[in-house]
Amino acid sequence: GENVEQHPSTLSVQEGDSAVIKCTYSDSASNYFPWYKQELGKRPQLIIDIRSNVGEKKDQRIAVTLNKTAKHFSLHITETQPEDSAVYFCAASVETSGTYKYIFGTGTRLKVLA
Amino acid sequence: NAGVTQTPKFQVLKTGQSMTLQCAQDMNHNSMYWYRQDPGMGLRLIYYSASEGTTDKGEVPNGYNVSRLNKREFSLRLESAAPSQTSVYFCASSEVSFTGELFFGEGSRLTVL
């Protein structure tokens, strides 16, 4: 079945440094790749997404890259700040039965050290 | 707009008891989902519904049933709870024709003793 692998499981960076989280997916039919941020005790919220016809997307300090041939995509956070500390989830989704079926990675706990 | 509302927020059950988690969304979304979140396991899809009257199995459907009562409501039922079902459950909704973004509820923490 579909599978999304996410690495690393934990990541500690100094404030101001960059953080990179990587995901690979198995279903070549996947065509939508969102990233969610979950703060402690809160619900996951979308921070950025990319569709299969785009190789890179940027939103201020956050960027996502997609390599469809290799079936992997990455989240890049530059100039990290303490408020970036959270768990980040990647997901791959495929359109099926008139909707998207989202499969999530296992999450990366990012700690930004002041 | 309340977004996605789940009830209850907390529940403790004994093994073998049954219960239903309720979810409602007021965003007129067609698609709704139930996920469970366990430490180190991420968010795993239990069931999803593309539209009113349709439901499909996700990654971990065993031990659960769902009902898409109408466009707004999607409930998750545990017929005979087991300790392995101790988890945080999230309901979510999306409108595929617009952005595909998943909007999550606040979560329901379930403990099965």
Side-chain angles (χ1 to χ4, degrees):
Chain A
E2 304 96 330
N3 184 50
V4 175
E5 294 190 2
Q6 183 173 346
H7 298 281
S9 57
T10 60
L11 179 60
S12 293
V13 299
Q14 291 292 328
E15 183 178 358
D17 286 351
S18 296
V20 180
I21 303 170
K22 299 182 178 181
C23 290
T24 59
Y25 60 97
S26 61
D27 189 345
S28 57
S30 297
N31 56 7
Y32 174 63
F33 307 90
W35 286 87
Y36 285 80
K37 176 183 180 182
Q38 185 179 30
E39 296 176 349
L40 189 62
K42 301 286 184 65
R43 72 190 84 187
Q45 291 191 299
L46 179 73
I47 55 170
I48 195 168
D49 57 12
I50 191 167
R51 298 191 183 273
S52 59
N53 58 348
V54 176
E56 184 174 358
K57 184 177 179 180
K58 192 172 182 179
D59 182 4
Q60 298 183 344
R61 297 186 296 109
I62 295 173
V64 57
T65 59
L66 171 64
N67 183 328
K68 282 219 74 178
T69 303
K71 290 194 274 189
H72 67 69
F73 56 113
S74 300
L75 177 71
H76 304 253
I77 306 174
T78 58
E79 301 173 20
T80 54
Q81 300 167 4
E83 52 264 38
D84 294 329
S85 296
V87 179
Y88 292 81
F89 293 98
C90 64
S93 64
V94 58
E95 195 162 350
T96 177
S97 303
T99 189
Y100 278 116
K101 181 180 177 181
Y102 301 81
I103 302 299
F104 282 83
T106 50
T108 296
R109 182 174 299 278
L110 174 65
K111 296 180 184 177
V112 179
L113 307 171
Chain B
N1 279 356
V4 179
T5 303
Q6 292 179 231
T7 56
K9 288 187 170 50
F10 300 94
Q11 183 73 49
V12 178
L13 291 177
K14 294 181 180 178
T15 297
Q17 287 184 318
S18 63
M19 76 157 299
T20 300
L21 296 174
Q22 307 284 356
C23 176
Q25 51 92 9
D26 62 3
M27 295 174 283
N28 202 36
H29 288 169
N30 281 313
S31 301
M32 297 186 74
Y33 307 79
W34 276 106
Y35 285 89
R36 61 177 288 174
Q37 184 174 30
D38 304 292
M41 302 292 286
L43 293 154
R44 292 185 291 170
L45 182 62
I46 305 171
Y47 272 93
Y48 63 105
S49 169
S51 61
E52 181 181 351
T54 68
T55 61
D56 285 288
K57 294 179 180 179
E59 302 167 87
V60 289
N62 291 346
Y64 304 95
N65 286 304
V66 290
S67 294
R68 184 73 185 268
L69 304 170
N70 47 54
K71 191 172 185 179
R72 291 187 64 248
E73 298 172 290
F74 189 38
S75 62
L76 179 72
R77 183 161 177 82
L78 288 69
E79 290 291 352
S80 180
S84 61
Q85 294 177 305
T86 293
S87 187
V88 178
Y89 292 85
F90 284 97
C91 178
S93 71
S94 74
E95 184 51 58
V96 174
S97 62
F98 187 49
T99 66
E101 177 181 355
L102 275 176
F103 292 85
F104 286 88
E106 291 185 308
S108 299
R109 184 176 293 277
L110 176 65
T111 301
V112 183
L113 303 176

